[in-house]
Amino acid sequence: MTDATIAPTAGRPAATDPALEAYLEATREERHASYLELLRIPSISTLPEHAPDCRRAAAWIVAELTRIGFEHAEAAPTAGHPIVYADWLHAPGAPTVVVYCHYDVQPVDPIELWETAPFEPFIRDGRVVGRGAADDKGQVHMHLRAFEALFATRGRLPLNVKIVFEGEEESSSASLADWLRANRERLASDAIVISDTGFFEGNRPALCVGLRGLVYTQIDVTGPGQDMHSGGFGGLIENPANALARIIAELKDRQGVVQVPGFYDDVVRLTSAERRDLAAMAYDEEAVREHCAVPVLVGEAGYAPLERLGYRPTLDVNGIWGGFQGEGSKTIIPAQAHAKVSCRLVPNQDPDIIFERFEAYVREIAPPGVAVTVRKLGSGRPLAVSADDPIAATALEALEATFGAPPCLTRNGGSIPVAEMFTTLLGRAPVMLGFTNPDDHAHSPNEFMRLDNYETGIRTICLFWDLLPERMR
Ligand SMILES: [Zn+2]
């Protein structure tokens, strides 16, 4: 650590802070080696056999945080994998920020589609390739290294920081809500920054200002007490698989409009200006069609693709099963049939209300002769951050200054339950500042992060922390 009496650089863009830039330049190779080291730990949170690896990844990060200059670094035990916490609170008068990322990763199957071993990462052609390179260990590492550069060149940070790096994000964040609740006081803050999102198409810098919510259900249809002979009973009793198919067919019409009464009642409509902005954002429908290998894109009639993706709710069957699944034929009327059905929700839809309406509708359209139950398996609220929010505005400013292009505002079609947990439990909506390239293959084989996004993103983060105290005053 260097002399702590160095003149403060608050308010001066880190991108032009020569000491910081020189430090980042001089440590580039070592930084990349460290990034790969983190990626080598197979911290797959959902597979029990990788629990020791999750603990190893947490310990690795704790050691790094301590080395860099953080205090109180710990791998806090939970019922599942540890949550890494650390803080540095020696900037009196400056804001306090909570920084969230996750160090766990998705499983690697289908392994045969990986061109290289997922946990033997490497850098080639400006890409860091390996499981977690983008989602989300790459962003964990970016934050670590941005803080390291600030500490190393100035001996201090421009604001107060509390680190929360989770190890169960890819397996539904089972322990996070309880931990946040128990640590509410300790996490008191003026801003929450989540780095688990990415750039817009064409790798254009973006700030995610909205997330869709989710309600996840299971429909169980029960008919006869056991599978029955379709010759002996076909024509006499209702077939649960047929009944389920009828129910599913009535959930949406042929224009893609969800038929659940009241489903769209609380959806916030876009203003015409917002629709214009959205229409002006380039979106390569053909590339998406090709990427998905589908003959044509479809969706709710009357809405453009980007609007359908971020601003309109959806309803999808995620799985469906029942009856005979084996080779050949078996002539039965199955005793049961089941489906997993989920809805992506947008502001201001309430997952509990949507579930109630969904359940009532499914019961109403269920044919006689079978028993139908609808269960809620999970839910999350949609989230929207105002772009005028000073923290979001500062993030946009830092992105533009470092990447040299005006960032666009995006809504993520997915859900980040964590964002909702922070909003509900800490009473503050997070700003989602993420840097991954849109073609990163997150959750898929051959995941990668563009090295430019990683390197420039570290500069963005430094500048963001430098600007924030001034902008939040
Ligand atoms: Zn993630």
Side-chain angles (χ1 to χ4, degrees):
M1 216 160 284
T2 53
D3 188 355
T5 60
I6 278 173
T9 50
R12 188 165 105 211
T16 62
D17 176 341
L20 195 79
E21 189 51 45
Y23 181 83
L24 287 171
E25 249 339 291
T27 50
R28 184 183 288 258
E29 260 178 52
E30 183 275 328
R31 176 164 61 252
H32 295 175
S34 160
Y35 182 3
L36 297 186
E37 195 178 308
L38 177 59
L39 296 183
R40 264 182 226 117
I41 308 173
S43 49
I44 304 172
S45 57
T46 199
L47 300 176
E49 63 268 32
H50 284 285
D53 297 315
C54 292
R55 288 197 295 275
R56 199 148 61 86
W60 189 95
I61 296 166
V62 167
E64 271 298 282
L65 286 163
T66 307
R67 180 188 69 80
I68 287 168
F70 278 93
E71 298 172 338
H72 310 119
E74 61 161 325
T78 69
H81 306 307
I83 291 172
V84 172
Y85 176 86
D87 59 35
W88 188 86
L89 306 171
H90 303 292
T96 300
V97 295
V98 168
V99 181
Y100 169 94
C101 301
H102 63 89
Y103 66 80
D104 62 322
V105 297
Q106 283 273 319
V108 294
D109 349 276
I111 186 78
E112 65 277 9
L113 294 184
W114 283 81
E115 283 157 23
T116 54
F119 294 107
E120 288 169 26
F122 59 90
I123 300 177
R124 191 182 298 150
D125 302 329
R127 296 172 169 205
V128 185
V129 183
R131 172 57 89 226
D135 182 15
D136 187 33
K137 280 175 171 168
Q139 312 211 55
V140 165
H141 204 262
M142 289 167 72
H143 278 287
L144 289 175
R145 288 304 165 128
F147 286 126
E148 186 207 38
L150 290 166
F151 271 125
T153 54
R154 302 175 193 171
R156 63 190 321 281
L157 300 179
L159 35 54
N160 303 294
V161 177
K162 298 175 179 179
I163 298 283
V164 176
F165 290 165
E166 194 202 356
E168 297 183 300
E169 199 278 340
E170 304 292 11
S171 52
S172 82
S173 296
S175 310
L176 185 66
D178 283 347
W179 190 83
L180 289 178
R181 211 174 284 121
N183 289 275
R184 209 185 189 130
E185 310 261 291
R186 192 191 192 188
L187 296 172
S189 57
D190 306 295
I192 297 166
V193 175
I194 292 183
S195 288
D196 192 18
T197 50
F199 281 4
F200 187 64
E201 195 170 311
N203 204 24
R204 195 174 145 195
L207 188 71
C208 174
V209 291
L211 295 170
R212 286 201 284 197
L214 180 77
V215 60
Y216 203 109
T217 75
Q218 179 165 328
I219 303 175
D220 300 299
V221 181
T222 311
Q226 57 185 15
D227 291 353
M228 304 297 281
H229 193 301
S230 68
F233 299 91
L236 292 180
I237 58 175
E238 180 59 280
N239 179 318
N242 290 51
L244 178 61
R246 270 164 63 190
I247 292 169
I248 289 171
E250 288 186 44
L251 294 176
K252 277 159 102 169
D253 72 7
R254 291 192 175 215
Q255 271 65 53
V257 179
V258 177
Q259 299 297 295
V260 175
F263 186 76
Y264 297 98
D265 281 4
D266 302 318
V267 172
V268 175
R269 311 264 156 189
L270 286 185
T271 64
S272 44
E274 285 171 322
R275 282 196 105 173
R276 212 171 36 242
D277 285 354
L278 209 55
M281 278 164 72
Y283 190 70
D284 191 342
E285 289 182 54
E286 180 52 23
V288 175
R289 190 199 62 73
E290 223 168 81
H291 173 78
C292 302
V294 292
V296 64
L297 296 186
V298 302
E300 191 184 358
Y303 297 92
L306 275 182
E307 202 169 352
R308 302 203 300 266
L309 203 54
Y311 299 82
R312 299 293 296 169
T314 61
L315 183 151
D316 281 290
V317 175
N318 307 106
I320 181 165
W321 70 102
F324 181 60
Q325 315 270 319
E327 284 274 328
S329 54
K330 186 182 182 200
T331 45
I332 54 159
I333 293 172
Q336 295 176 0
H338 313 268
K340 309 262 188 192
V341 180
S342 66
C343 300
R344 296 283 181 178
L345 308 179
V346 297
N348 288 324
Q349 287 179 301
D350 178 315
D352 294 333
I353 295 175
I354 293 297
F355 177 74
E356 271 170 37
R357 290 176 182 165
F358 177 81
E359 184 187 20
Y361 178 65
V362 170
R363 286 185 184 288
E364 182 197 315
I365 59 177
V370 287
V372 176
T373 59
V374 186
R375 288 185 280 154
K376 183 163 74 177
L377 301 186
S379 67
R381 275 167 207 287
L383 182 87
V385 180
S386 161
D388 314 328
D389 172 275
I391 304 161
T394 309
L396 290 169
E397 186 183 347
L399 278 168
E400 180 156 5
T402 47
F403 280 90
C408 48
L409 300 174
T410 59
R411 289 229 194 171
N412 192 322
S415 314
I416 304 184
V418 169
E420 191 225 340
M421 281 180 208
F422 276 107
T423 311
T424 314
L425 293 164
L426 302 185
R428 189 180 298 287
V431 166
M432 286 160 287
L433 176 60
F435 299 92
T436 58
N437 34 286
D439 54 352
D440 62 4
H441 296 177
H443 296 206
S444 302
N446 309 311
E447 178 175 351
F448 75 97
M449 175 86 153
R450 288 185 191 274
L451 202 52
D452 278 352
N453 290 39
Y454 167 88
E455 281 294 330
T456 310
I458 291 175
R459 275 80 172 169
T460 310
I461 293 170
C462 290
L463 178 58
F464 180 52
W465 298 142
D466 262 347
L467 294 173
L468 207 53
E470 184 69 31
R471 300 294 185 271
M472 284 183 75
R473 195 158 287 160

